[in-house]
Amino acid sequence: MTRRRAVSGAAVTGAGMVTCLGRDPDIVWSRLMAGLSGISRITMFDTSQCLNQRGGEIKDALPADGGPRMAALLDAAFRSALADAGLSVDDLKARRAALVVGSSFGNIFQTEKGPVELDHYVKPLLRDLGLDIPVLSVSSACSSGSDAIATGADLLDFAGFDIVLCGGVDVLDIYKMVGHSALGTLSPTRCTPFSADGDGTALGEGAALLVLERASGAALRGGHVRAILTSRASTTDTNTLTSPDLTGAGAMRAISNALVQTGAAVDGIAYINAHGSGTHVNDAMEAQVYAGMFARTRPAISSTKAAFGHTLGATGAIEAAISIMALERGEAPPTSGLATVHEDWRAAAVTLAGQPAPLPDGKLALSVTYGFGGANVALLFRQPEAVTR
């Protein structure tokens, strides 16, 4: 019998993000806690034929073309995460480092010169930085950013890497907007997950990267550990190309597997950053999952897609960063725009509508994503040590 090597937990020493609510963590957090949304009218392309003309467009001075836009978003998240970790490019050169990037489709639909590699925009970034490190590209639909983080932790635990930058990036484009309009997943009004009158999602764009290190390596260099990624688990429903398994079996298995890895129980989870896309099928499936697993413990739960839009391949990475910030600050953000909680969600958890909620010390934050094709990912984070507030 082969015994799997135990995972030790990866130290998160840095995080960088670019979103429609901003890129400064303190500003993004204050806007989230105030229940604000960065979703606005899209100006970068014609949306007149789409079900909705609004999305989480980043209004910064960025290239309009998809490939350079992907590169610019990743560049900003990379540099921000590295600075937050107190690391330099020279540190990456001196140690065994890697980059893992998740994206759903990125800008590949926009190219008119023939097919391109999914991570074609990464090599120029590394060249500009003077870096030559391994790059892994992950694409598991809306779970790509989460799977990239899980893969980054695997590289630390099982492949001997010292530092891994991992996360996701994706951009808005007309093809995605039209596609989701045709599928009927795009809200004609606004994205309000868990709502009694919810009618779909809103798309967005952005990037986020986490810096993962072994805790011993971070301590040796005097790095600040923001959180510990205690465990991660992925499952696949293999149900349909777009709809999840409505029983939630695959999602529950992913969460249970992550808990088993770290020896935690459901009552150890204080906050869940839900997938919370706002579509009928996803909301119904998630309500089943949390009512089945957390009806007794009732953790705080919210969705940040109402604020950022569904950023596709970047969403899991952005939500992981927000989950870490919730642990650090001892508060869980509300779901923007949520007024009347759907009856299915009243039994599922303490669904945060309008107001944030305090979080107890010593508990876990769970960040989950459920992608097209049934790609389910659960990431569990904890505070690095007992914190007194």
Coordinates of all heavy atoms in Angstrom, one line a residue, residues 63-74 106-108 110-111 116 120-122 124 169 171:
P63 N -3.9 48.4 -21.4 CA -4.1 48.1 -22.8 C -5.5 47.6 -23.1 O -6.0 46.8 -22.3 CB -3.0 47.1 -23.1 CG -2.0 47.2 -22.1 CD -2.8 47.6 -20.8
A64 N -6.1 48.0 -24.2 CA -7.4 47.5 -24.5 C -7.4 46.1 -25.2 O -8.3 45.3 -25.0 CB -8.1 48.4 -25.5
D65 N -6.3 45.8 -25.9 CA -6.1 44.5 -26.5 C -5.9 43.4 -25.4 O -5.2 43.6 -24.5 CB -4.9 44.5 -27.4 CG -4.8 43.2 -28.2 OD1 -5.7 42.9 -29.0 OD2 -3.7 42.6 -28.1
G66 N -6.6 42.3 -25.7 CA -6.6 41.2 -24.7 C -5.3 40.7 -24.2 O -5.1 40.6 -23.0
G67 N -4.4 40.4 -25.1 CA -3.1 39.8 -24.7 C -2.3 40.8 -23.8 O -1.9 40.4 -22.7
P68 N -2.0 42.0 -24.3 CA -1.3 43.0 -23.4 C -2.1 43.3 -22.2 O -1.4 43.6 -21.1 CB -1.2 44.2 -24.4 CG -1.3 43.6 -25.7 CD -2.2 42.5 -25.7
R69 N -3.4 43.2 -22.2 CA -4.2 43.5 -21.0 C -4.0 42.4 -19.9 O -3.8 42.6 -18.8 CB -5.7 43.6 -21.3 CG -6.5 44.2 -20.2 CD -8.0 44.4 -20.7 NE -8.8 45.1 -19.8 CZ -9.0 46.4 -19.6 NH1 -8.3 47.2 -20.4 NH2 -9.8 46.9 -18.7
M70 N -4.0 41.1 -20.4 CA -3.6 40.0 -19.5 C -2.3 40.2 -18.9 O -2.1 40.0 -17.7 CB -3.7 38.7 -20.3 CG -5.1 38.2 -20.8 SD -6.1 37.4 -19.5 CE -5.2 35.8 -19.4
A71 N -1.3 40.5 -19.8 CA 0.1 40.7 -19.3 C 0.2 41.8 -18.2 O 0.9 41.7 -17.2 CB 1.0 41.0 -20.5
A72 N -0.5 42.9 -18.5 CA -0.5 44.1 -17.6 C -1.1 43.7 -16.2 O -0.6 44.1 -15.2 CB -1.2 45.3 -18.2
L73 N -2.2 43.0 -16.2 CA -2.9 42.6 -15.0 C -2.0 41.7 -14.2 O -1.8 41.8 -13.0 CB -4.2 42.0 -15.3 CG -5.3 42.9 -15.8 CD1 -6.5 42.1 -16.2 CD2 -5.7 43.9 -14.8
L74 N -1.4 40.7 -14.9 CA -0.5 39.7 -14.2 C 0.7 40.4 -13.7 O 1.2 40.1 -12.6 CB -0.1 38.6 -15.2 CG 0.8 37.5 -14.6 CD1 0.0 36.8 -13.4 CD2 1.2 36.5 -15.6
G106 N -8.8 33.4 -20.9 CA -7.9 34.5 -21.2 C -8.4 35.3 -22.3 O -9.6 35.6 -22.5
N107 N -7.5 35.6 -23.3 CA -7.9 36.4 -24.5 C -7.8 35.5 -25.7 O -7.8 36.1 -26.8 CB -6.9 37.6 -24.6 CG -5.5 37.1 -25.1 OD1 -4.9 36.3 -24.4 ND2 -5.0 37.7 -26.2
I108 N -7.9 34.2 -25.6 CA -7.6 33.4 -26.8 C -8.7 33.5 -27.8 O -8.5 33.2 -29.0 CB -7.4 31.9 -26.4 CG1 -8.6 31.3 -25.8 CG2 -6.2 31.7 -25.5 CD1 -8.5 29.8 -25.6
Q110 N -9.9 36.3 -28.8 CA -9.8 37.6 -29.4 C -8.7 37.6 -30.6 O -8.7 38.5 -31.3 CB -9.3 38.7 -28.4 CG -10.3 38.9 -27.3 CD -9.8 40.0 -26.3 OE1 -9.0 40.8 -26.7 NE2 -10.3 40.0 -25.1
T111 N -7.9 36.5 -30.6 CA -6.8 36.5 -31.5 C -7.3 36.2 -33.0 O -8.1 35.3 -33.2 CB -5.8 35.5 -31.2 OG1 -6.4 34.2 -31.1 CG2 -5.2 35.8 -29.8
V116 N -3.3 30.7 -30.0 CA -2.1 31.0 -29.2 C -2.1 30.1 -28.0 O -3.1 29.6 -27.6 CB -2.1 32.5 -28.8 CG1 -2.0 33.4 -30.0 CG2 -3.3 32.8 -27.9
H120 N 0.5 32.6 -23.2 CA 1.4 33.3 -24.2 C 1.9 34.6 -23.6 O 3.0 35.1 -24.0 CB 0.8 33.5 -25.5 CG -0.4 34.5 -25.5 ND1 -0.2 35.8 -25.8 CD2 -1.7 34.3 -25.1 CE1 -1.4 36.4 -25.6 NE2 -2.3 35.5 -25.2
Y121 N 1.2 35.2 -22.7 CA 1.5 36.6 -22.2 C 2.5 36.5 -21.0 O 3.0 37.5 -20.6 CB 0.2 37.3 -21.7 CG -0.5 36.4 -20.7 CD1 -0.3 36.6 -19.4 CD2 -1.4 35.4 -21.2 CE1 -0.9 35.8 -18.5 CE2 -2.1 34.6 -20.3 CZ -1.8 34.8 -18.9 OH -2.5 34.0 -18.0
V122 N 2.8 35.3 -20.5 CA 3.6 35.2 -19.3 C 5.1 35.3 -19.7 O 5.8 36.0 -18.9 CB 3.3 33.8 -18.6 CG1 4.2 33.7 -17.4 CG2 1.9 33.7 -18.2
P124 N 6.8 37.1 -21.9 CA 7.3 38.4 -22.0 C 7.5 39.1 -20.6 O 8.4 39.9 -20.4 CB 6.3 39.2 -22.9 CG 5.7 38.1 -23.7 CD 5.6 36.9 -22.8
V169 N -5.6 35.0 -13.6 CA -5.8 36.3 -14.3 C -6.8 36.0 -15.4 O -6.8 35.0 -16.0 CB -4.5 36.9 -14.9 CG1 -3.8 35.9 -15.8 CG2 -4.7 38.2 -15.6
V171 N -9.6 38.4 -18.4 CA -10.1 39.7 -18.9 C -11.5 39.6 -19.4 O -11.9 38.5 -19.9 CB -9.1 40.3 -20.0 CG1 -7.8 40.7 -19.4 CG2 -8.9 39.3 -21.1

